[in-house]
Amino acid sequence: MNSRALVLERKGVLSLRDIDLPSDLGPADVRIAIRQVGVCGSDVHYYQHGAIGPFVVRAPMVLGHEASGVVVEAGRDVRGLKPGDRVCMEPGIPDPRSRASRLGIYNLDPAVRFWATPPVHGCLTPSVVHPADFTFKIPDNVSFAEAAMVEPLAVGMHAATRAAIRPGDVALVIGAGAIGMVTALSALAAGCSRVVISDVQPLKLALAARLGPIAPVDLSRDDLGRAVRDATDGRGADVIFEASGSERAYPCLFDHLCPAGRVVLIGMPGRPVAIDVVAAQVKEARIDTIFRYAHVFDRALALMGSGKIDVKPLITDTYAFADGIRAFDYACSMRPESVKVQISVS
Ligand SMILES: [Zn+2]
């Protein structure tokens, strides 16, 4: 069916036009009227570079994967969702019979189809069809804009889960972009007593410091080692989340870790980086990586609904659907105080 959508035609060229999109409703699917969609760093990267690693845009592709909306139709086998329900959607659909899915690590299914990862169309269009199993009801007190933040928040939630945070831990988050911020929020919700967050952007750090017991460290001015020692009585952070993707984070990474601490690598460096193995060994550091997330959307929504996580301060810029291309051009060169750009589809 032809629908209006924000289409990446090829590297550097966006248009808001009609495009033929699949619209058949399967028995286990729901049809959703899209309300709000967040612009992700990956969308912007495809726009600017036409590829991320092995994923190359070879044909026009609808962008967007951080979405909320309202169910308008439910397939005949759907239980638990009905027209009128406010929802947000998990954008990666695995093959349910794959080995990874059966093991519960469905995010690692090599066959996963993820919105706006070529060649799969995204959700910047007024209506989508999505499996009900990957569609989650929003608590009444959570807005569509907040619900469209669940997708990036899920990355922080998955990282905090992987870090096995214990009550009272102190975390260091490297990088105060959108993912660093949601990781700090997730670490606090998981039981950290405080978070130290580092960046080179004073306005982002100032925003982060308003989100909770979060100590900002401006790397262009302050000494990160001293800040972490001050926050931990000299012992080092229990958990380090690398959320900058900058290779400059790596040379001194383990200096900031306590003995037997955990490191979770979230940011994706543009090329291979060296790791000081011995510095990790003498602390018996546990190093984990994450790729997207699994089994956290319902938990993220529950934390928003209970008020334990507030993402509203991170939604800094909102554009109408008709101004979608402007939204992307802004996201390519955001003011430093901007964190998340969203597009209001309806
Ligand atoms: Zn995203």
Side-chain angles (χ1 to χ4, degrees), residues 34-38 124 144-145 317-324 327 341-346:
I34 297 287
R35 295 293 294 267
Q36 198 89 350
V37 177
L124 267 164
F144 288 112
D317 305 85
T318 306
Y319 288 76
F321 188 46
D323 296 327
V341 175
Q342 288 188 338
I343 297 174
S344 207
V345 176
S346 67

Side-chain angles (χ1 to χ4, degrees), residues 292-332:
R292 298 174 179 151
Y293 39 72
H295 309 291
V296 291
F297 265 54
D298 51 352
R299 291 166 179 271
L301 284 163
L303 284 166
M304 284 184 182
S306 71
K308 284 213 153 208
I309 285 186
D310 180 8
V311 294
K312 289 192 289 292
L314 307 183
I315 305 164
T316 48
D317 305 85
T318 306
Y319 288 76
F321 188 46
D323 296 327
I325 297 172
R326 272 212 307 132
F328 269 82
D329 287 331
Y330 178 68
C332 288

Side-chain angles (χ1 to χ4, degrees), residues 38-43 65-66 114 151-152 155 179 340:
V39 175
C40 182
S42 69
D43 295 308
H65 63 257
E66 305 177 354
F114 197 95
E151 198 278 336
V155 175
I179 293 296
K340 178 55 73 178

Side-chain angles (χ1 to χ4, degrees), residues 10 22 24 57 59 68 71 104 115 123 143 198 210 255 262 301-302 328 334 336:
R10 57 187 178 279
D24 289 348
V57 179
S68 62
V71 174
W115 272 344
C123 58
S143 67
S198 65
R210 291 197 297 273
D255 294 358
R262 289 90 71 202
L301 284 163
F328 269 82
M334 294 199 297

Side-chain angles (χ1 to χ4, degrees), residues 65-69 87-93 106-107 114-115 123 130-139 142 146-158 161 186 291-305 309:
H65 63 257
E66 305 177 354
S68 62
V87 292
C88 72
M89 290 73 82
E90 185 166 345
I93 308 302
Y106 62 87
N107 55 318
F114 197 95
W115 272 344
C123 58
H130 203 63
D133 288 346
F134 290 84
T135 304
F136 300 86
K137 256 196 253 186
I138 308 173
V142 172
E146 290 167 86
M149 285 296 291
V150 169
E151 198 278 336
L153 175 60
V155 175
M157 294 276 298
H158 189 53
T161 307
S186 300
F291 183 63
R292 298 174 179 151
Y293 39 72
H295 309 291
V296 291
F297 265 54
D298 51 352
R299 291 166 179 271
L301 284 163
L303 284 166
M304 284 184 182
I309 285 186

Side-chain angles (χ1 to χ4, degrees), residues 150-198:
V150 169
E151 198 278 336
L153 175 60
V155 175
M157 294 276 298
H158 189 53
T161 307
R162 186 56 63 85
I165 289 168
R166 291 161 301 194
D169 276 352
V170 175
L172 166 63
V173 175
I174 300 171
I179 293 296
M181 301 244 196
V182 294
T183 300
L185 290 173
S186 300
L188 290 170
C192 279
S193 56
R194 60 194 300 193
V195 170
V196 175
I197 193 165
S198 65

Side-chain angles (χ1 to χ4, degrees), residues 15-54:
S15 51
L16 195 58
R17 65 162 167 98
D18 288 344
I19 184 170
D20 188 29
L21 296 174
S23 61
D24 289 348
L25 188 80
D29 294 336
V30 286
R31 192 182 312 281
I32 299 150
I34 297 287
R35 295 293 294 267
Q36 198 89 350
V37 177
V39 175
C40 182
S42 69
D43 295 308
V44 172
H45 201 90
Y46 283 123
Y47 177 31
Q48 292 182 309
H49 304 281
I52 296 180

